[in-house]
Amino acid sequence: MLMWFNKTILNLNLSSVLVLAISLFLYGSNSYAESHLEKAQPNKTSNKFTLWQNPQYILKSFQEIALKNEYKKTHKRILKWQQPIRYQFNYQHLKKNNLVEKLFNAHLKHLADITGLDIQPAKNSVANFTIYLTKDKNYADIIKKYTGSTVKNLEKDSHCMGSYKTNKQNEIIQADVVLPVDHDYSRGLLVSCVVEETTQVLGLPNDASWVNPSIANDDSKIELLTGLDYILLKLLYNSEIKAGMSQTESQKVLKKEIQQLMDNGEVKNAAKTVNSKGLYQLVN
């Protein structure tokens, strides 16, 4: 996901950033979609579901976010990692920033817990996921030099970006994230950028204004993973969902897996579960 706003650079010290990040989370909206959805029916263990917890809504959300891309037409195939992820920080014209690394480390560990992926820092191995941390004035150059993105005016229209490469089997084999750190600090968007870009390069590349509550919704003020995001990640990395599956091939499996998540209480408890780990623990 790319985050779109006009840019103004301010100077904030580290303490201000911490306060800003915490305040930003507390201000985050968890409003739910009021359309594109029929009201869910209650199960035996709950008086009612929240709006997004309708199985059909979850299925449509998955197909919208996982099988499409906001910048190009796709063949609507499942994209996912099938190999361990080894990530590294690459500083470009910027000194080491412990706060930024702490945020990334916490969120990537959270993603590993949710998906079951082996995600670790690249210590004695070659990295296949690089996080470029730079300054706003160098943002365009880093995008061009390291990501190969062909999206026009990306550096002017975005606050951060992520990209990935796939093989012929639609397996993600490499990913990059670029953050202009000074800009994201000044706008209070550091947490959002960390969460959105690293989550989406796992195979949830699209944005949609009707999918809510979700970090894939640019119109919302949601900063951290929601219950719906948690369920989408659980579905994507279910072993029955294979890289390269078409929408038709995956739909039958998805319906079965969604029903299992409904029956075992994971959908009902998704928000509580996702709030128990990751960056939620740093801002509360």
Side-chain angles (χ1 to χ4, degrees):
M1 177 189 291
L2 299 173
M3 303 183 60
W4 310 93
F5 298 95
N6 292 324
K7 298 182 177 180
T8 302
I9 305 300
L10 303 174
N11 293 319
L12 295 178
N13 59 31
L14 186 58
S15 296
S16 298
V17 172
L18 285 168
V19 172
L20 182 58
I22 294 171
S23 299
L24 193 62
F25 166 71
L26 294 175
Y27 179 71
S29 169
N30 283 316
S31 61
Y32 297 121
E34 296 180 354
S35 59
H36 305 281
L37 171 65
E38 293 180 359
K39 187 175 181 180
Q41 297 299 314
N43 65 13
K44 295 180 180 180
T45 60
S46 174
N47 292 327
K48 64 179 180 178
F49 291 120
T50 54
L51 293 175
W52 70 263
Q53 291 170 313
N54 181 296
Q56 186 63 18
Y57 187 82
I58 294 172
L59 175 62
K60 289 182 177 180
S61 297
F62 183 91
Q63 292 172 336
E64 182 73 19
I65 302 304
L67 301 180
K68 297 181 181 180
N69 188 299
E70 61 181 317
Y71 293 110
K72 61 182 180 181
K73 292 184 178 180
T74 71
H75 297 294
K76 295 186 177 181
R77 298 280 179 176
I78 296 291
L79 307 174
K80 61 190 294 186
W81 291 82
Q82 300 282 44
Q83 60 180 302
I85 297 175
R86 295 294 178 263
Y87 66 94
Q88 66 178 356
F89 297 101
N90 187 316
Y91 288 88
Q92 295 287 324
H93 313 287
L94 193 70
K95 293 181 179 180
K96 180 180 173 65
N97 188 308
N98 291 326
L99 171 62
V100 174
E101 291 194 17
K102 184 176 182 179
L103 294 174
F104 271 107
N105 289 334
H107 186 60
L108 287 167
K109 185 178 184 305
H110 196 190
L111 291 176
D113 291 340
I114 295 170
T115 63
L117 284 168
D118 179 4
I119 305 176
Q120 301 288 339
K123 295 180 179 179
N124 298 314
S125 58
V126 178
N128 52 12
F129 181 13
T130 302
I131 301 162
Y132 294 96
L133 302 173
T134 190
K135 295 181 179 180
D136 189 58
K137 66 180 181 181
N138 304 116
Y139 186 39
D141 292 337
I142 301 306
I143 292 174
K144 182 178 180 180
K145 183 176 181 179
Y146 294 106
T147 73
S149 174
T150 58
V151 179
K152 293 183 179 180
N153 300 317
L154 186 57
E155 73 283 357
K156 297 179 180 179
D157 297 327
S158 69
H159 293 297
C160 46
M161 64 86 64
S163 64
Y164 55 83
K165 295 180 181 178
T166 59
N167 59 20
K168 293 181 179 180
Q169 291 73 45
N170 292 286
E171 299 169 347
I172 302 174
I173 57 174
Q174 182 181 337
D176 301 297
V177 165
V178 184
L179 264 70
V181 176
D182 53 348
H183 173 73
D184 293 334
Y185 272 172
S186 71
R187 286 290 190 180
L189 296 172
L190 180 61
V191 172
S192 295
C193 281
V194 169
V195 172
E196 293 173 15
E197 303 306 340
T198 54
T199 302
Q200 293 203 318
V201 297
L202 292 193
L204 299 172
N206 199 33
D207 293 339
S209 60
W210 66 265
V211 176
N212 203 26
S214 173
I215 59 169
N217 186 328
D218 272 343
D219 294 335
S220 74
K221 296 183 177 69
I222 294 170
E223 311 292 336
L224 303 179
L225 293 177
T226 68
L228 178 56
D229 295 322
Y230 171 83
I231 293 299
L232 298 183
L233 285 165
K234 294 290 286 186
L235 290 171
L236 179 61
Y237 281 92
N238 185 291
S239 60
E240 298 297 316
I241 300 297
K242 309 295 184 183
M245 274 185 167
S246 67
Q247 180 169 333
T248 300
E249 291 169 334
S250 63
Q251 181 164 299
K252 183 177 180 180
V253 181
L254 285 167
K255 286 182 177 180
K256 181 186 72 173
E257 299 304 327
I258 290 170
Q259 190 58 53
Q260 288 184 356
L261 293 174
M262 296 287 293
D263 292 342
N264 68 18
E266 284 208 64
V267 171
K268 174 188 173 184
N269 297 313
K272 181 179 179 180
T273 301
V274 81
N275 288 354
S276 67
K277 294 183 179 180
L279 291 176
Y280 286 91
Q281 303 305 299
L282 295 180
V283 299
N284 282 308

